[in-house]
Amino acid sequence: MNDKSKTKEQLLRELSLLRTEIAQLEQLNVKYKQADEERKETKIFLENVFNTSADGIIVTDPFGTITMVNPAVEDMLGYSTEELIGKNSIELRPEGSEFEEKGRAFITRLLEDGVIRGIERTWQKKDGSLIEIDFHAALLKDNDGEITGAVGSIRDITERKWAERKLIEYQKQLRSLASQLTLTEESDRRTFATYLHDHIGQSLFILKIKLETLLNTVRSPDISQHLQETTGIIEQLIKDTRSLTFELSPPILYQLGFEAALDWLFEQMHNQYGIETSFQNDKSPKPLDDDVLILLFRGVRELLVNVGKHARAQHVTVTTRRDDDHIVIQVEDNGIGFDLSDVDISTMPSKGFGLFSIKERLDHIGGRLYIDSQAGHGARITLIAPLKSKNTTRETS
Ligand SMILES: Nc1ncnc2c1ncn2[C@@H]1O[C@H](COP(=O)(O)OP(=O)(O)O)[C@@H](O)[C@H]1O
Ligand SMILES: [Mg+2]
């Protein structure tokens, strides 16, 4: 059947079909145009991101030769785009085996993982100065999985690294000062203790002997009575001076070490405040630098005095144990406890050698103080401090 033989109805049907197809094609065309428009918009958007990003963006070929950079890279490195394109990214590394090694490790990791996030690197600017950067990188691949290059984003962290280093330096200075303070105080205490023992103690002793000699020659019972009383007072003074000497600077601390000194301290606290102490020690060696030893001893003493003064407790348990390269000491009482919100030790001004002072000094030597207490439920205070390191002693000056 040829066209001439088509009926009018047939022709009209074909015409309608053709119209529908044209309409569909037009719709498709609109969609393509829209997609094209979107692609253009995306391209402009990406170009804007690329050009205005504060982070530097660098694109390289598979061999590391730079093919594209954004303006932020120019600002960071001081090179123009023209100077950077064609340069190998390796040339941005400063000279030196340390940097070379890091660079090689970086490429190996990138090839293995495909992406690297947040790696810190040092690069060299055009003027020769160094810049520290935070680097993210990813491999670029085509549809067949072939590597076509890499894209990296870099952020200048030179100032941040400088501030970090400064902070570490200040912390070190602070630690050193805190440690010097503890040592100076201790040395003052020792000087005072020696003076008390060598001068006042000695003089009192001579006075006592002289009085006793006098006592033997006196006939009057009245005077004898007075002299005996005076001798009694002097004997008490001698005892007081001796215990004050020990309290100021317990020789046992240096002769027998921390735990033996604690035993002595418990006895003192028992005599003074009537506190019963049980002591648990894991018996592991806990070598301590002098300043830490003194600080912990003074710290435990203060905690026990606190129990005596504030806790109304019948019993205290002190434990010492080693936790890796730290010493952990806990002082736990069954007294009235206290509400931490009533005693905010972090904002408390340093008055004397209280909880705040111990916390502050421990912080400075790389230790910690934890308080675990509730009103009515006793108190548990934990002191943590670093042990003496194996090879080097902590810097104290
Ligand atoms: N073991 C304890 N039991 C109850 N209250 C305590 C205990 N230790 C400390 N406190 C409370 O915490 C406060 C702060 O202690 P501290 O810093 O040593 O200062 P101070 O002993 O000079 O008052 C104390 O005044 C007391 O109210
Ligand atoms: Mg106190």
Side-chain angles (χ1 to χ4, degrees), residues 301-303 305-307 309-310 348 351 353-355 358:
R301 187 180 183 284
E302 173 61 23
L303 297 182
V305 170
N306 273 357
V307 175
K309 276 196 326 197
H310 310 296
M348 216 160 85
K351 52 158 181 116
F353 191 75
L355 290 176
I358 307 171

Side-chain angles (χ1 to χ4, degrees), residues 193-207:
T194 312
Y195 181 79
L196 211 57
H197 176 263
D198 293 356
H199 296 272
I200 299 178
Q202 282 309 85
S203 302
L204 285 173
F205 192 68
I206 294 167
L207 199 63

Side-chain angles (χ1 to χ4, degrees), residues 171-289:
Q171 274 167 350
K172 225 164 118 185
Q173 279 175 19
L174 214 57
R175 278 176 192 200
S176 149
L177 284 177
S179 136
Q180 275 176 42
L181 179 67
T182 307
L183 289 174
T184 312
E185 280 175 355
E186 189 62 15
S187 138
D188 286 351
R189 255 191 238 109
R190 273 175 128 173
T191 314
F192 191 46
T194 312
Y195 181 79
L196 211 57
H197 176 263
D198 293 356
H199 296 272
I200 299 178
Q202 282 309 85
S203 302
L204 285 173
F205 192 68
I206 294 167
L207 199 63
K208 182 182 156 233
I209 301 218
K210 292 212 162 178
L211 277 179
E212 278 168 354
T213 319
L214 199 64
L215 199 60
N216 289 336
T217 59
V218 166
R219 297 278 166 265
S220 151
D222 252 13
I223 297 179
S224 171
Q225 165 85 12
H226 279 304
L227 279 179
Q228 258 165 8
E229 277 171 21
T230 315
T231 316
I233 295 172
I234 288 175
E235 269 167 3
Q236 188 55 45
L237 267 177
I238 291 171
K239 269 192 201 146
D240 288 351
T241 313
R242 196 173 296 148
S243 64
L244 190 59
T245 309
F246 262 63
E247 194 157 313
L248 275 168
S249 179
I252 207 165
L253 185 58
Y254 306 98
Q255 289 156 8
L256 298 180
F258 184 59
E259 275 130 348
L262 283 188
D263 266 333
W264 172 82
L265 182 64
F266 300 148
E267 206 184 301
Q268 294 282 305
M269 289 295 128
H270 180 70
N271 295 340
Q272 228 167 316
Y273 295 100
I275 309 169
E276 290 291 340
T277 312
S278 41
F279 183 34
Q280 290 162 14
N281 171 16
D282 70 354
K283 301 267 166 57
S284 59
K286 304 175 196 72
L288 297 167
D289 281 319

Side-chain angles (χ1 to χ4, degrees), residues 3 6 8-20:
D3 281 351
K6 279 184 183 169
K8 191 182 165 195
E9 282 75 27
Q10 273 177 322
L11 282 171
L12 280 174
R13 215 175 16 250
E14 279 180 19
L15 197 64
S16 149
L17 275 173
L18 216 57
R19 278 209 187 105
T20 319

Side-chain angles (χ1 to χ4, degrees), residues 47-322:
E47 267 170 13
N48 275 335
V49 172
F50 186 76
N51 288 326
T52 57
S53 163
D55 289 342
I57 301 170
I58 298 179
V59 184
T60 71
D61 70 8
F63 307 101
T65 306
I66 298 171
T67 54
M68 239 169 123
V69 289
N70 72 342
V73 179
E74 292 186 330
D75 293 344
M76 274 184 221
L77 302 178
Y79 288 105
S80 67
T81 301
E82 292 71 36
E83 285 171 316
L84 283 167
I85 287 178
K87 218 184 215 334
N88 196 293
S89 54
I90 287 177
E91 292 172 56
L92 298 170
R93 237 165 40 197
E95 299 247 331
S97 54
E98 173 208 354
F99 298 114
E100 248 174 60
E101 220 164 90
K102 279 188 176 170
R104 258 199 302 276
F106 172 80
I107 291 169
T108 315
R109 240 185 84 190
L110 183 60
L111 288 173
E112 271 172 13
D113 300 346
V115 267
I116 291 183
R117 288 195 182 87
I119 198 164
E120 289 178 3
R121 282 286 172 275
T122 307
W123 274 5
Q124 192 159 30
K125 293 170 40 161
K126 189 180 174 183
D127 65 9
S129 61
L130 299 183
I131 174 174
E132 288 179 80
I133 52 168
D134 184 41
F135 202 172
H136 296 247
L139 286 180
L140 297 172
K141 290 182 181 171
D142 62 14
N143 288 341
D144 304 323
E146 284 294 313
I147 297 170
T148 56
V151 59
S153 95
I154 58 172
R155 179 171 295 180
D156 185 354
I157 52 164
T158 314
E159 260 178 46
R160 196 188 83 198
K161 297 300 282 181
W162 178 85
E164 275 174 16
R165 276 194 290 269
K166 231 23 208 172
L167 195 66
I168 291 171
E169 203 181 298
Y170 285 153
Q171 274 167 350
K172 225 164 118 185
Q173 279 175 19
L174 214 57
R175 278 176 192 200
S176 149
L177 284 177
S179 136
Q180 275 176 42
L181 179 67
T182 307
L183 289 174
T184 312
E185 280 175 355
E186 189 62 15
S187 138
D188 286 351
R189 255 191 238 109
R190 273 175 128 173
T191 314
F192 191 46
T194 312
Y195 181 79
L196 211 57
H197 176 263
D198 293 356
H199 296 272
I200 299 178
Q202 282 309 85
S203 302
L204 285 173
F205 192 68
I206 294 167
L207 199 63
K208 182 182 156 233
I209 301 218
K210 292 212 162 178
L211 277 179
E212 278 168 354
T213 319
L214 199 64
L215 199 60
N216 289 336
T217 59
V218 166
R219 297 278 166 265
S220 151
D222 252 13
I223 297 179
S224 171
Q225 165 85 12
H226 279 304
L227 279 179
Q228 258 165 8
E229 277 171 21
T230 315
T231 316
I233 295 172
I234 288 175
E235 269 167 3
Q236 188 55 45
L237 267 177
I238 291 171
K239 269 192 201 146
D240 288 351
T241 313
R242 196 173 296 148
S243 64
L244 190 59
T245 309
F246 262 63
E247 194 157 313
L248 275 168
S249 179
I252 207 165
L253 185 58
Y254 306 98
Q255 289 156 8
L256 298 180
F258 184 59
E259 275 130 348
L262 283 188
D263 266 333
W264 172 82
L265 182 64
F266 300 148
E267 206 184 301
Q268 294 282 305
M269 289 295 128
H270 180 70
N271 295 340
Q272 228 167 316
Y273 295 100
I275 309 169
E276 290 291 340
T277 312
S278 41
F279 183 34
Q280 290 162 14
N281 171 16
D282 70 354
K283 301 267 166 57
S284 59
K286 304 175 196 72
L288 297 167
D289 281 319
D290 267 359
D291 59 333
V292 181
L293 174 77
I294 295 156
L295 175 55
L296 289 178
F297 182 76
R298 298 277 160 220
V300 173
R301 187 180 183 284
E302 173 61 23
L303 297 182
L304 292 174
V305 170
N306 273 357
V307 175
K309 276 196 326 197
H310 310 296
R312 280 183 250 148
Q314 293 87 41
H315 200 265
V316 190
T317 308
V318 177
T319 49
T320 56
R321 65 185 165 85
R322 183 183 178 137

